Amino acid sequence: MIQTDAQSLEPTMSHSPQTAILVIGGAEDKVHGREILQTFFNRSGGRDAQIAIIPSASREPAAIGNRYRDIFEDMGAKAVRILDIRERYQGEDPIWQNDLEDCTGVFMTGGDQLRLCSLLADTPLMEKILLQVQRGEIVLAGTSAGAAVMGYHMIAGGGSGESPNRSLVDMTTGLGILPQVIVDQHFHNRNRMARLISAISANPDRIGVGIDEDTCALFEGDGLIQVLGKGTVTIIDPGEVDYTNEPYVDAINPLSIFNLRVHVLTYGDRYHIPTRSLHVPEQRLSA
Amino acid sequence: MIQTDAQSLEPTMSHSPQTAILVIGGAEDKVHGREILQTFFNRSGGRDAQIAIIPSASREPAAIGNRYRDIFEDMGAKAVRILDIRERYQGEDPIWQNDLEDCTGVFMTGGDQLRLCSLLADTPLMEKILLQVQRGEIVLAGTSAGAAVMGYHMIAGGGSGESPNRSLVDMTTGLGILPQVIVDQHFHNRNRMARLISAISANPDRIGVGIDEDTCALFEGDGLIQVLGKGTVTIIDPGEVDYTNEPYVDAINPLSIFNLRVHVLTYGDRYHIPTRSLHVPEQRLSA
């Protein structure tokens, strides 16, 4: 057996225990219980929350920004502002960075993850957000494209309905907020298991996190993931993979990969990345 | 952690070392290289092959039967007959059983797996086929619906585009030829990972085998699976699963399942069910 050169998953960024990052699989409930958005609002301070919305992934940033602003104002946030960044130079403008000073929560909307990255990656604004998230001063959330950008490696696009293969997924560089994971969103809804397996075959030092619609993987500072919402979070852990043909096969031929560990998690389940351990809620065990 | 009550996977049927069962994911090449059909032909004896085609899964049994007859005759089979069983009583008729005496290969076509099972399950004809397969006297192949029937538990239908959940898959009883596995066919082509995971959550004493189109899992007598064809065979092994909410959750809520082991295999890869061990071809390792 070939031993894959899997690197250690020691976090490359330190997070404070208060760090909270909500990675949302898209299409979260905006009308009824609004559980995931309410959790973001509560974690951001509830009625003391000062929320910044980044709608830059969208081609209709004004409309989508206003929609989320109305929701968080309706919940009773102290302040909601929209960081309607449409050009890269805006991320270098001190005015926008000052806007973050009092912020307790930042929400990145859906749209196109490539657009979001091209506007924000490596800007002083993004670096400031990252620092405040790591310190636990800001709660960060991203949905759909806003979720896809979380990893260092990002899925830019891809297909379904095929055997896993290298051309099934387009990889690029994300914002690196959660560098140890590769996020895929609308996961089972859009049948993305084969593309996430393909992405992980090429990057066996990461962990695949597939998040269904109206579902959230809440990352906390110590590497704990907790599941919120109506669907599942699928963990694809290649830590024990002992063979893949990924380095040897051409782009369209199918991939072999042996010994993936897969977990399907639902509401309340927790997964601790550093120890790879799983926890089910106490009340479920006594059901 | 809850320990699931996973039973041992000791085979419930004994197979001779010569046993060969080709489980084909549907849409196998019938025109160009015809690799999978050629393998079935060769294993059945090549120019000495006497092949029986069972087209009973199909609503157009004459057309599909003739199509495969033409292929095997074109390859040079000594004899090809079509067991065009359209009523259950035919499976009890000694004439059809006598037809099997000289047979070296039996091929079950695609169509509707429920129809195939309702016509064949527990008939003297099927019992005779099974006995001859176990003794290594007959090579058995099934494609699409003809593959779905192989397990004791059979996927009768289901959906995709949803989180794994109990209502995503309709389970019934198959022909029990390979009782230890649950087969799903057209696997990645029709995005069936979530439904096979759902099936395995409910039956954690089995192994899920998802077979792509134009791909074959060749089962040999000692529990060895070898992959042929253009796509992948996905093994879902729940042997180490230590929690699933399947017994407690209602039909439409999503399933939790922890610690599935998943292998994606391609041409030439082998998986040995009794020892759960994987083998990659030697020439691949030196590539």
Side-chain angles (χ1 to χ4, degrees), chain A residues 24-27 144 147 155 159-160 182-200 208-215 231-236 262-265, chain B residues 160-164 188 191 193-194 197:
Chain A
I24 307 167
S144 192
I155 296 177
S160 68
I182 296 177
V183 172
D184 208 349
Q185 66 285 358
H186 305 280
F187 188 65
H188 284 298
N189 314 83
R190 298 188 187 171
N191 294 307
R192 288 177 165 175
M193 182 73 94
R195 91 175 194 183
L196 187 54
I197 288 176
S198 304
I200 285 296
V209 179
I211 308 171
D212 293 345
E213 293 179 356
D214 198 15
T215 307
T232 60
V233 172
T234 302
I235 305 289
I236 301 181
V262 174
H263 315 291
V264 181
L265 313 181
Chain B
S160 69
E162 288 178 33
S163 312
H188 284 298
N191 294 306
M193 182 73 94
I197 288 175

Side-chain angles (χ1 to χ4, degrees), chain A:
Chain A
M1 292 285 171
I2 291 177
Q3 200 70 27
T4 57
D5 194 11
Q7 292 157 22
S8 151
L9 269 176
E10 294 301 312
T12 57
M13 295 166 61
S14 60
H15 294 106
S16 86
Q18 288 76 43
T19 302
I21 302 173
L22 287 85
V23 189
I24 307 167
E28 71 285 351
D29 177 9
K30 298 174 188 68
V31 180
H32 302 291
R34 303 194 292 205
E35 181 204 352
I36 294 167
L37 296 178
Q38 190 73 46
T39 300
F40 168 72
F41 169 80
N42 293 344
R43 288 263 184 161
S44 299
R47 292 191 168 271
D48 292 324
Q50 300 202 45
I51 293 171
I53 296 163
I54 300 179
S56 309
S58 175
R59 293 252 165 225
E60 295 184 330
I64 200 165
N66 289 341
R67 177 141 200 224
Y68 281 104
R69 187 189 58 202
D70 292 349
I71 291 169
F72 296 128
E73 284 182 351
D74 181 56
M75 289 178 180
K78 186 171 169 189
V80 185
R81 70 206 74 168
I82 299 173
L83 302 190
D84 190 357
I85 294 163
R86 303 189 186 197
E87 301 291 343
R88 209 177 143 80
Y89 72 82
Q90 293 174 292
E92 291 162 14
D93 188 334
I95 292 175
W96 299 78
Q97 295 168 54
N98 291 342
D99 255 8
L100 285 175
E101 281 304 330
D102 306 321
C103 246
T104 59
V106 170
F107 190 95
M108 298 189 290
T109 73
D112 174 355
Q113 54 263 45
L114 281 173
R115 183 177 156 79
L116 185 58
C117 279
S118 69
L119 288 171
L120 286 187
D122 302 320
T123 60
L125 181 77
M126 197 64 225
E127 279 164 17
K128 189 175 175 75
I129 291 172
L130 273 178
L131 196 66
Q132 288 180 276
V133 169
Q134 285 163 32
R135 287 178 181 156
E137 296 165 1
I138 277 181
V139 173
L140 179 66
T143 186
S144 192
V149 298
M150 292 289 181
Y152 172 76
H153 296 292
M154 180 176 88
I155 296 177
S160 68
E162 286 178 34
S163 313
N165 69 86
R166 279 171 41 205
S167 67
L168 193 61
V169 63
D170 300 320
M171 300 301 298
T172 181
T173 304
L175 295 181
I177 299 159
L178 296 163
Q180 71 272 45
V181 301
I182 296 177
V183 172
D184 208 349
Q185 66 285 358
H186 305 280
F187 188 65
H188 284 298
N189 314 83
R190 298 188 187 171
N191 294 307
R192 288 177 165 175
M193 182 73 94
R195 91 175 194 183
L196 187 54
I197 288 176
S198 304
I200 285 296
S201 299
N203 299 282
D205 57 338
R206 310 290 152 162
I207 287 180
V209 179
I211 308 171
D212 293 345
E213 293 179 356
D214 198 15
T215 307
C216 172
L218 168 59
F219 285 72
E220 305 203 68
D222 58 353
L224 190 74
I225 299 175
Q226 192 175 157
V227 179
L228 304 173
K230 295 215 167 56
T232 60
V233 172
T234 302
I235 305 289
I236 301 181
D237 174 7
E240 296 162 40
V241 164
D242 46 18
Y243 174 74
T244 171
N245 64 359
E246 202 278 339
Y248 316 114
V249 80
D250 63 21
I252 60 164
N253 273 316
L255 289 166
S256 286
I257 184 162
F258 295 176
N259 276 317
L260 288 170
R261 199 170 276 277
V262 174
H263 315 291
V264 181
L265 313 181
T266 60
Y267 182 85
D269 292 342
R270 288 176 296 156
Y271 179 68
H272 189 235
I273 294 179
T275 59
R276 305 287 210 281
S277 59
L278 292 148
H279 304 274
V280 59
E282 286 294 327
Q283 69 271 26
R284 191 100 65 75
L285 291 175
S286 56

